[in-house]
């Protein structure tokens, strides 16, 4: 989760949520999260977008893919419901600040040293070319503590858990989807395909029509443009047809006349 770059950047997601709020045909937002975390500031901004979208009268639910830890969980904390596969990894409610210091490495390995003329003690604040002073380290500790307190508050409010209880669950601990459900960090453990089926039933729909935000350019997304009303049922039908084609190809490759032509070809899977 980054401030300006990548598929989970605040720049892309804020634009996506703005478009969603303006689209009156969208009733439900399903946010699929697969992230170990990232920028604390970016995570809070995305959390805020979720809140604005809920205030606009749209349901926001989240589904955990393989992992939704730290900032990945932060952005989901206020969702109406959170779903996870049993073996997914989540939690990691905590904050750390990593700061590279190159002074010793550059001096010992390259013989490069730096000095600075400053107008005040904080003029070269957090320069990678100098060791952090104790006051600077203390400032960073306070920043981490403040963000951690905010993180815990977001979880307590969003999940309706006492704040003291969240402190017990937090401290960077990670949980499986099953354990997260037992302690209230997720609402239900369910595999993604089964979740889609349950949403069809819950919203009394013959099919769910998906609009991807933000758009990630893949071969399938290009295909979906040609089929804008591609439903879950037709997706399953396409998958079944593809499976049959692969099986037919396997049988073809097993024929002696084909094998004789391929005996000198290496296949990699």
């Amino acid at each position: 989760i980054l401030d300006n770059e990548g598929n989970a950047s605040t720049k892309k997601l804020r634009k996506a949520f703005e478009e969603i709020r303006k689209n009156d045909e969208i009733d439900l937002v399903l946010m699929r999260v697969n992230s170990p975390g990232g920028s604390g500031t970016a995570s809070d901004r995305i959390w805020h977008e979720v809140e604005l979208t809920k205030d606009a009268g749209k349901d926001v639910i989240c589904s955990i893919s393989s992992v939704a830890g730290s900032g990945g969980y932060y952005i989901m904390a206020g969702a109406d419901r959170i779903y996870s596969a049993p073996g997914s990894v989540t939690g990691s409610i905590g904050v750390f600040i990593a700061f590279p210091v190159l002074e010793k490495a550059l001096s010992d390995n390259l013989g490069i040293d730096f000095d600075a003329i400053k107008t005040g003690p904080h003029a070269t604040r957090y320069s990678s070319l100098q060791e952090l002073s104790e006051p600077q380290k203390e400032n960073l500790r306070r920043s981490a503590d403040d963000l951690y307190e905010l993180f815990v508050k977001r979880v307590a409010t969003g999940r309706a858990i006492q704040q003291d209880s969240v402190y017990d669950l937090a401290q960077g601990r990670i949980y499986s989807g099953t354990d997260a459900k037992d302690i209230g960090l997720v609402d239900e453990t369910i595999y993604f395909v089964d979740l889609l089926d349950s949403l069809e039933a819950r919203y009394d729909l013959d099919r769910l029509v998906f609009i991807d935000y933000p758009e990630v350019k893949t071969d399938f997304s290009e295909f979906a443009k040609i089929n804008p009303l591609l439903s879950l049922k037709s997706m399953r039908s396409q998958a079944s047809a593809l499976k049959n084609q692969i099986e037919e190809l396997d049988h073809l490759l097993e024929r002696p006349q084909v094998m004789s032509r391929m005996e000198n070809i290496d296949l990699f899977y």
Side-chain angles (χ1 to χ4, degrees), residues 5-6 15 43 56 71-72 82 101 113 121 129 133 140 152 210 221 242:
E5 302 296 334
K15 181 180 178 181
S43 298
I82 300 176
V101 178
D113 296 294
L129 302 179
S133 66
L140 290 176
V152 169
F210 286 95
S221 66
L242 180 60

Side-chain angles (χ1 to χ4, degrees), residues 88-109:
S88 297
V89 175
T90 190
S92 190
I93 301 170
V95 176
F96 74 93
I97 297 176
F99 189 84
V101 178
L102 306 177
E103 181 181 20
K104 184 173 175 59
L106 291 173
S107 179
D108 292 350
N109 295 289

Side-chain angles (χ1 to χ4, degrees), residues 1-10 13 33-46 69-76:
I1 299 174
L2 305 172
D3 288 295
N4 294 309
E5 302 296 334
N7 288 327
S9 70
T10 54
L13 290 179
V33 179
N34 188 30
S35 170
S39 164
T41 303
S43 298
D44 193 59
R45 287 175 179 168
I46 296 170
S70 194
Y73 187 81
Y74 192 123
I75 65 176
M76 302 189 302

Side-chain angles (χ1 to χ4, degrees), residues 148-175:
Y148 180 60
E149 291 293 322
L150 182 60
F151 195 169
V152 169
K153 180 181 177 181
R154 300 294 196 217
V155 174
T157 302
R159 301 302 302 161
I161 303 173
Q162 290 293 327
Q163 194 158 318
D164 289 343
S165 298
V166 177
Y167 284 119
D168 294 335
L169 303 175
Q171 302 175 49
R173 295 186 179 94
I174 59 174
Y175 303 95

Side-chain angles (χ1 to χ4, degrees), residues 117-142:
I117 298 174
K118 302 181 289 186
T119 57
H122 304 296
T124 57
R125 189 179 187 186
Y126 308 139
S127 169
S128 295
L129 302 179
Q130 292 182 324
E131 291 282 346
L132 292 173
S133 66
E134 283 305 317
Q136 288 173 331
K137 291 179 181 178
E138 184 58 32
N139 285 335
L140 290 176
R141 288 190 195 99
R142 283 198 298 267

